[in-house]
Amino acid sequence: MTKAPIYRSLRRRIIAITLAVSIAPLLTLAAVIYHQYVKVFEARIEDQIRHLARSQANAVDVFLNDRTALLAVLVTTRSFEELGEQPRLDALFDVITRTADGLGLVDLGVIDATGRHVAYAGPFALRGLDYSREAWFRETMSRGRYVSDVFTGFRQLPHFIIAIRGHGARGPWILRATIDSQVFHRLVRSVRVGESGDAYIINPDGFLQTDARLAGQVLDRSPLAPRLFGEEATVIRLPAENGATRYVAGAWLKSKDWLLVVSQDSSDQINSLIRTRETEIFIILLGCLAIVIATVVTTRTIVSRLEHADQDLNQLNAQLLQRDKMAALGKMAAGIAHEINNPLAVIGEKAGWIRDLLDDPALRESPVHPELVASVDKIENHVERARKITHRMLGFARRMEPRLDDVDVNRVLGETVELLQNHARINDIRIDLDLADGLPIIASDQSQLQQVFLNLLNNAIDAIGKDGLITCATRQIDKEIRVAITDNGPGIPPEQLPRVFDPFFTTKEPGRGTGLGLAISFQIIEKMGGRLLLENAAPRGTRATVVLPVVIPERK
Amino acid sequence: MEPRRILVVDDEIDFLETIVNRLRKRGMTAEGVASGREAVRRIGEAPFDVVLLDIKMPGGMDGIEVLREIKQQRPDTAVILLTGHASLETSMEGMELGAFDYLLKPMRFEELLKKIAAALEK
């Protein structure tokens, strides 16, 4: 089947439009879903890290409150006189470190109202130092409770202290404890998450209060300004070097003006995002592929149906045109033949009359008599010749008298099948020939016989429509030749069978059949002395049988 | 054999005269009329054994109508249709109406004689 360019471009256009309107929304939807997913994903990371910062800040608060509470209990339950004695303080410190090692107290000191370190229990030699000029001392004296920032102090090591003021008989005094920076660091760093995670504390001036993994050592200046973080736990997003996003969450402590910072790269969680994106892309691609395949297949089917329909229509148009043409031509031929026939008849008869007159004995004596007879013969010959021509023209319009030719039925059938082979092939119809050997040559009208075969084969093809088999078989039975043309179409409803030879009876769609084919065929075969039979074949289909008498041609 | 009466009906005068002459020359009693009406009138006047009747004639009465008239008035008359118009319907109609036979114009004169002989033998 040839593909006309118009169908190709039609197919391309339909495919393009269908794909555009089906894939574009799909891709848009995919992009929107992915975007939403990323937002949700980021929000989840933020929530996670914010929650982490807040809970860790709470833990640090608890840590500080525990130690502050312990000191407050000691200050309330013991007197300055008792704790100011070095042995008693040593005993207490000993009890505390033995029973509550996890508290992380490094040392314990008692300072009197003048700032003198009256008693000290711990690893350093700090007894007797005067703290009266230290800021923390004045702060504790005025406020009653003090937690310091981390500082190096006399011992030249980063530490921080908790101090609580008590009231004794001889005025206020202070119980002071130093917190083990190792225990404190461990607590803060315990929240660190993932490969890139970090956790540390900074004071309002931006100095690190604990060692950070990435942000720096204790007492370094933090790269982040604490004022970026609000009252509530706040999350900030910063670009990281590897292209990922760094999420930084800060939560202020309640018991101290420290900011607990937890930070994490998105790259730790990005893998799950990438996996999700890959899955989505895979599904979308699968969907697109399905759409493309469905579109192409559907469009091909539709366009090829259309093409077939067009072909059928063209064929029908061609047939109609052909029929009109033949009808017009026939009419014209008949008209011309008729007009010529009348003068021809006169000429013929006049010539005959001259011949009759030439029979006169008086004329026979004339020397020109033979020449006159010869001339009349010529005239009659040529009238006969013209007569044959006009009769053939009239016969073209409508055949009347069967001419007697020497007819080889097998050959006529074969030639007729050949004529229709192409038409049948287009409709996927196979025509099989099953010809008997040694059929006698009979006297019949070849072109009329061909006309009959043509009608019957056309009927068979039309009955099948598409995809089928037609068998043409010839047999000699006694003094008859039988030609059976069998199709495997739907057959003829039994109630219609008696009417099939009626003129103008047709089972074909309006405009496709004149209803004259079988009627004329019937008449032609009758005139030849034969019979035309039509019956339903088993298991399905129709069989038309032409029965021709075996008439041996006369030898001329 | 007594002379047979033959009526030839054809609007083509030249043809009509010639046929009549040729039939007469062969010893038949032939006469010709050039229209359907005349033919009907003539048939009304006298019986004919054979009528050679042209199917297509002008003047309001064609061969088929004349045939009907003949079959009504004198059913025994053998009518041979002459037609220059090889129309299946008209000839078949004529045959159905009781025409004896038909001939396509221009015909062979011998054939015409054969058919007349056959009609007379009937």
Side-chain angles (χ1 to χ4, degrees):
Chain A
M1 190 174 61
T2 54
K3 297 265 178 215
I6 176 175
Y7 296 108
R8 233 179 297 146
S9 89
L10 178 69
R11 204 175 56 214
R12 271 204 295 264
R13 275 215 305 277
I14 294 178
I15 289 176
I17 291 170
T18 313
L19 288 185
V21 298
S22 54
I23 287 182
L26 185 67
L27 293 182
T28 313
L29 188 70
V32 168
I33 288 176
Y34 181 71
H35 182 68
Q36 287 293 353
Y37 179 80
V38 167
K39 273 173 97 170
V40 168
F41 186 80
E42 285 172 351
R44 208 187 69 198
I45 295 179
E46 275 189 19
D47 274 356
Q48 236 173 31
I49 200 163
R50 182 185 294 122
H51 177 75
L52 210 58
R54 194 182 293 129
S55 62
Q56 197 57 22
N58 286 342
V60 173
D61 270 332
V62 168
F63 180 91
L64 293 177
N65 285 341
D66 282 356
R67 279 124 195 100
T68 312
L70 175 70
L71 294 187
V73 167
L74 291 176
V75 165
T76 321
T77 54
R78 308 291 174 92
S79 65
F80 174 74
E81 287 72 24
E82 186 188 346
L83 293 182
E85 283 179 34
Q86 187 64 40
R88 308 277 297 260
L89 187 67
D90 283 340
L92 177 67
F93 184 67
D94 188 48
V95 169
I96 290 171
T97 47
R98 265 194 289 112
T99 58
D101 188 35
L103 284 175
L105 294 192
V106 176
D107 58 16
L108 205 56
V110 176
I111 295 115
D112 68 9
T114 63
R116 204 172 55 86
H117 210 169
V118 294
Y120 172 79
F124 300 102
L126 300 178
R127 193 171 161 203
L129 284 178
D130 181 8
Y131 288 120
S132 60
R133 294 185 194 283
E134 298 291 323
W136 67 265
F137 174 76
R138 290 199 297 276
E139 188 85 3
T140 312
M141 276 303 179
S142 63
R143 293 246 183 111
R145 176 184 173 281
Y146 179 74
V147 178
S148 75
D149 280 350
V150 173
F151 64 106
T152 42
F154 291 116
R155 66 189 79 172
Q156 299 301 311
L157 278 173
H159 64 286
F160 74 95
I161 58 160
I162 299 172
I164 299 287
R165 186 188 63 194
H167 292 283
R170 282 179 286 167
W173 60 282
I174 290 173
L175 182 63
R176 193 200 77 153
T178 304
I179 304 299
D180 181 350
S181 59
Q182 287 305 312
V183 175
F184 190 63
H185 283 191
R186 267 203 302 279
L187 171 70
V188 170
R189 297 274 289 266
S190 69
V191 294
R192 213 183 67 208
V193 277
E195 295 277 313
S196 61
D198 202 356
Y200 50 90
I201 289 173
I202 51 178
N203 70 4
D205 299 325
F207 288 101
L208 286 164
Q209 301 299 302
T210 60
D211 281 341
R213 198 166 61 138
L214 303 169
Q217 293 297 308
V218 63
L219 293 179
D220 285 352
R221 186 176 268 284
S222 153
L224 287 169
R227 57 183 166 71
L228 291 175
F229 298 91
E231 202 65 22
E232 283 297 308
T234 310
V235 178
I236 296 173
R237 286 190 214 172
L238 297 171
E241 305 105 27
N242 57 358
T245 307
R246 188 154 190 90
Y247 292 85
V248 183
W252 290 100
L253 300 191
K254 291 189 184 74
S255 51
K256 167 79 183 141
D257 53 350
W258 279 350
L259 180 70
L260 185 113
V261 177
V262 177
S263 70
Q264 187 191 1
D265 265 8
S266 63
S267 62
D268 286 342
Q269 309 220 7
I270 212 83
N271 281 341
S272 94
L273 195 64
I274 288 171
R275 260 201 312 282
T276 306
R277 191 173 60 194
E278 280 170 354
T279 309
E280 195 190 343
I281 288 173
F282 179 70
I283 290 172
I284 295 293
L285 282 182
L286 220 60
C288 288
L289 191 69
I291 290 174
V292 169
I293 290 174
T295 306
V296 169
V297 168
T298 313
T299 309
R300 269 174 186 278
T301 312
I302 290 172
V303 172
S304 99
R305 287 260 168 88
L306 193 72
E307 199 175 345
H308 275 290
D310 281 359
Q311 256 174 11
D312 288 352
L313 195 69
N314 286 343
Q315 223 163 53
L316 186 66
N317 281 341
Q319 271 173 13
L320 289 175
L321 199 70
Q322 179 67 11
R323 206 160 61 201
D324 286 356
K325 220 159 62 184
M326 295 306 275
L329 212 59
K331 219 178 254 177
M332 201 175 83
I336 292 171
H338 182 65
E339 289 308 317
I340 291 175
N341 267 349
N342 280 335
L344 209 54
V346 175
I347 294 168
E349 291 314 319
K350 287 294 179 195
W353 181 232
I354 292 170
R355 179 190 297 285
D356 289 352
L357 294 179
L358 283 174
D359 229 16
D360 189 335
L363 289 176
R364 271 196 213 169
E365 303 305 318
S366 161
V368 293
H369 184 265
E371 209 161 317
L372 285 174
V373 172
S375 293
V376 171
D377 278 349
K378 280 266 159 56
I379 292 172
E380 285 192 326
N381 279 348
H382 286 274
V383 168
E384 176 66 16
R385 190 172 144 200
R387 192 182 83 98
K388 275 185 181 158
I389 294 170
T390 55
H391 277 203
R392 214 174 297 152
M393 281 164 76
L394 287 165
F396 174 75
R398 191 139 308 172
R399 294 187 175 282
M400 292 282 300
E401 297 174 304
R403 276 196 346 257
L404 292 186
D405 307 318
D406 294 359
V407 174
D408 177 351
V409 176
N410 279 349
R411 197 170 57 83
V412 175
L413 186 59
E415 282 173 4
T416 316
V417 166
E418 205 51 47
L419 278 176
L420 287 172
Q421 204 61 270
N422 214 28
H423 178 51
R425 220 182 346 252
I426 288 172
N427 294 304
D428 291 323
I429 295 170
R430 208 174 78 218
I431 305 181
D432 279 355
L433 283 175
D434 171 18
L435 305 178
D437 287 332
L439 283 188
I441 304 291
I442 60 169
S444 193
D445 187 323
Q446 177 159 334
S447 55
Q448 292 202 5
L449 197 58
Q450 186 160 42
Q451 180 68 50
V452 171
F453 290 159
L454 209 59
N455 280 340
L456 297 178
L457 283 166
N458 262 326
N459 283 351
I461 289 172
D462 287 348
I464 291 171
K466 274 225 175 296
D467 193 14
L469 175 69
I470 298 172
T471 316
C472 301
T474 55
R475 294 284 180 275
Q476 183 178 10
I477 298 170
D478 296 329
K479 291 259 136 204
E480 289 174 346
I481 290 175
R482 286 172 171 259
V483 182
I485 295 174
T486 314
D487 67 65
N488 64 351
I492 299 168
E495 70 272 12
Q496 291 185 358
L497 215 43
R499 298 184 56 205
V500 289
F501 294 114
D502 292 359
F504 305 110
F505 178 80
T506 181
T507 57
K508 298 178 189 176
E509 307 160 39
R512 293 217 56 158
T514 56
L516 285 175
L518 274 180
I520 289 174
S521 300
F522 188 80
Q523 225 156 17
I524 290 173
I525 298 296
E526 289 262 282
K527 262 195 182 322
M528 290 175 177
R531 303 192 302 282
L532 175 59
L533 314 167
L534 206 72
E535 65 199 320
N536 281 322
R540 64 195 295 263
T542 309
R543 174 180 299 122
T545 310
V546 176
V547 183
L548 294 169
V550 175
V551 180
I552 305 302
E554 289 174 43
R555 291 288 135 231
K556 291 158 203 157
Chain B
M1 200 164 91
E2 65 193 84
R4 301 301 190 143
R5 293 172 56 83
I6 298 174
L7 180 66
V8 185
V9 188
D10 199 309
D11 59 308
E12 182 72 57
I13 303 294
D14 286 341
F15 182 78
L16 182 68
E17 278 177 355
T18 316
I19 292 289
V20 169
N21 285 342
R22 295 192 77 185
L23 291 177
R24 282 183 182 157
K25 188 161 175 67
R26 281 162 180 75
M28 286 173 249
T29 309
E31 58 181 273
V33 287
S35 76
R37 291 189 199 287
E38 272 183 79
V40 172
R41 185 179 53 76
R42 197 72 192 92
I43 298 257
E45 287 167 4
F48 289 88
D49 297 298
V50 177
V51 176
L52 301 182
L53 182 58
D54 190 16
I55 284 186
K56 206 178 167 204
M57 283 183 298
M61 198 168 191
D62 70 3
I64 293 295
E65 283 170 74
V66 177
L67 174 65
R68 281 207 185 90
E69 203 63 37
I70 293 171
K71 282 290 143 187
Q72 210 173 354
Q73 290 187 21
R74 300 186 191 276
D76 288 344
T77 313
V79 177
I80 296 173
L81 297 170
L82 302 180
T83 176
H85 182 60
S87 135
L88 183 72
E89 286 85 356
T90 327
S91 298
M92 289 299 131
E93 195 186 339
M95 295 300 283
E96 272 169 24
L97 284 172
F100 176 76
D101 209 336
Y102 68 92
L103 272 171
L104 286 177
K105 281 207 295 190
M107 66 278 196
R108 294 192 195 85
F109 194 68
E110 291 70 32
E111 219 172 314
L112 176 66
L113 291 179
K114 248 189 251 171
K115 296 218 164 163
I116 290 172
L120 290 174
E121 267 170 34
K122 184 192 69 171

